[in-house]
Amino acid sequence: MTSAAMLKHTAASQRRPLLLALDFDKTLTTHDTISNVAAVAKRIHPEYKNFQWFADEYMKDHNAFEHTWKAKIAGHKNSNTEEKIDRRFLDKYLEAMRPVEETSLLRINSHGILAGVTANDMFEAGRAVQFRPGAARTINHFLNASSTIDCTVCIVSINWSESFIRGALSANGVDLSNANARPVDIHCNNMLFDAKTGLSTGHLPSKMVVASDKTDAIDAAKRDITERHGRNPILVYAGDSLTDLPALLDASIGLLFGDSSGPVTWCEWLGIRFGEQRSEPECTKVLYKLEGWDKAIAIIQKHINEVE
């Protein structure tokens, strides 16, 4: 290692590490891709039940859930109630969605609509997915910044296939072969494959279904980084939906993408203002509302420089 390289390595080791945690669908991608995953098996096995039926059944359950909680939310918005709409209430509401999400996965498993495909089938299908402009550039910027900061990138998604996600990352130009960067970790509901045939069994483990599953995965990644470095990482999280909101609020830098009204409404109820710093016991936090990825690198880099 040259003297210059040694100096860069020393500089990187002295800075707080960075954890860049990212949702996948509609955060990195231009559209939701769950139906694309299901379509892979449907093309091979046209006799499988149409995915739209599963989507419709899920929406029936979700609408019933929302109807039940509508009165509870209205009651907590009343200033005279003992329990206000706060982070604890948000977490309780999102955790209550677990039966809806797990029932949906049970339908998928019982009908076996993901059976009979290979991991390579899923990888190739993922290659057709389009990312938001600037998303891959942002990931590569920090993957390739190992000389100035140690960065770990992980995908935390309710998607159904790790191979599908890796195919999408590869096709959109994310540098997965960088020998100097840590591998991109993917946490999702990964379909199972038969060890002998290499074909998917049709079973989808219930691993990543509600917001707390995402925050648990991120907390585990933070602990691992802290053990390696002896310092807590700077956490950046990017997401687009209400399921992402707890992770967005936990992050030093939260990046909210898309046009979903759910996160915006809950931020209003919680008194969270976009772009405004919040002083909390462990660190200063800020949540940004972004239309695209073009400003993400500058926002993250500015915060890194400030905390150092």
Side-chain angles (χ1 to χ4, degrees):
M1 184 180 290
T2 65
S3 298
M6 289 180 65
L7 286 172
K8 288 183 177 180
H9 176 75
T10 301
S13 64
Q14 291 176 345
R15 305 185 77 173
R16 281 181 64 189
L18 175 68
L19 173 56
L20 183 59
L22 310 166
D23 174 51
F24 181 68
D25 285 296
K26 299 181 74 174
T27 297
L28 295 180
T29 70
T30 57
H31 68 284
D32 189 274
T33 66
I34 292 292
S35 62
N36 299 63
V37 174
V40 178
K42 178 68 172 174
R43 284 195 294 270
I44 300 173
H45 300 281
E47 72 276 11
Y48 285 178
K49 203 173 189 68
N50 288 329
F51 179 75
Q52 188 59 50
W53 180 83
F54 296 92
D56 291 342
E57 291 299 304
Y58 170 79
M59 287 309 302
K60 290 177 186 177
D61 291 345
H62 190 270
N63 290 339
F65 169 84
E66 291 290 350
H67 179 76
T68 300
W69 274 82
K70 185 175 181 180
K72 295 180 182 180
I73 293 173
H76 284 78
K77 286 169 65 179
N78 186 333
S79 60
N80 295 324
T81 58
E82 182 178 341
E83 186 178 1
K84 306 294 190 299
I85 288 188
D86 55 13
R87 173 61 187 272
R88 185 175 64 174
F89 184 75
L90 170 64
D91 291 342
K92 182 179 178 180
Y93 167 78
L94 292 173
E95 186 63 32
M97 289 186 182
R98 186 177 293 277
V100 173
E101 302 296 339
E102 291 186 340
T103 297
S104 179
L105 291 186
L106 283 173
R107 287 194 197 98
I108 298 296
N109 290 337
S110 64
H111 285 269
I113 66 166
L114 298 178
V117 299
T118 67
N120 188 64
D121 290 333
M122 300 311 303
F123 183 90
E124 290 301 319
R127 291 181 58 81
V129 171
Q130 184 177 355
F131 274 14
R132 289 175 177 268
R137 182 171 64 88
T138 301
I139 297 173
N140 286 335
H141 176 86
F142 292 103
L143 278 177
N144 296 325
S146 57
S147 63
T148 57
I149 189 169
D150 191 296
C151 177
T152 298
V153 176
C154 67
I155 309 296
V156 188
S157 171
I158 63 171
N159 200 284
W160 297 343
S161 171
E162 177 180 342
S163 297
F164 182 89
I165 293 174
R166 290 198 182 280
L169 291 169
S170 175
N172 283 275
V174 175
D175 188 3
L176 298 176
S177 61
N178 186 344
N180 296 318
R182 298 188 184 280
V184 175
D185 294 323
I186 297 178
H187 307 274
C188 66
N189 301 305
N190 199 27
M191 61 176 66
L192 300 183
F193 293 88
D194 185 281
K196 293 182 178 180
T197 66
L199 296 176
S200 56
T201 64
H203 183 70
L204 193 63
S206 177
K207 178 182 177 182
M208 195 72 57
V209 294
V210 294
S212 62
D213 297 328
K214 290 196 169 194
T215 54
D216 286 348
I218 294 168
D219 287 343
K222 287 170 61 178
R223 288 193 298 269
D224 180 65
I225 294 169
T226 301
E227 289 177 3
R228 292 202 311 264
H229 291 271
R231 303 185 70 184
N232 292 328
I234 300 168
L235 172 60
V236 177
Y237 185 80
D240 72 289
S241 71
L242 192 55
T243 304
D244 296 308
L245 188 53
L248 288 166
L249 297 179
D250 287 345
S252 301
I253 308 167
L255 306 176
L256 174 62
F257 291 90
D259 54 5
S260 176
S261 61
V264 175
T265 298
W266 276 85
C267 283
E268 291 175 356
W269 292 343
L270 294 168
I272 305 295
R273 294 180 175 84
F274 296 118
E276 184 176 284
Q277 289 190 343
R278 312 187 309 278
S279 296
E280 299 190 10
E282 65 274 21
C283 67
T284 299
K285 300 178 180 180
V286 60
L287 175 60
Y288 295 91
K289 179 76 169 66
L290 301 180
E291 296 301 320
W293 281 90
D294 55 308
K295 298 179 181 178
I297 293 175
I299 289 172
I300 297 169
Q301 195 63 59
K302 178 176 181 293
H303 186 85
I304 291 172
N305 295 337
E306 287 176 349
V307 298
E308 295 295 336

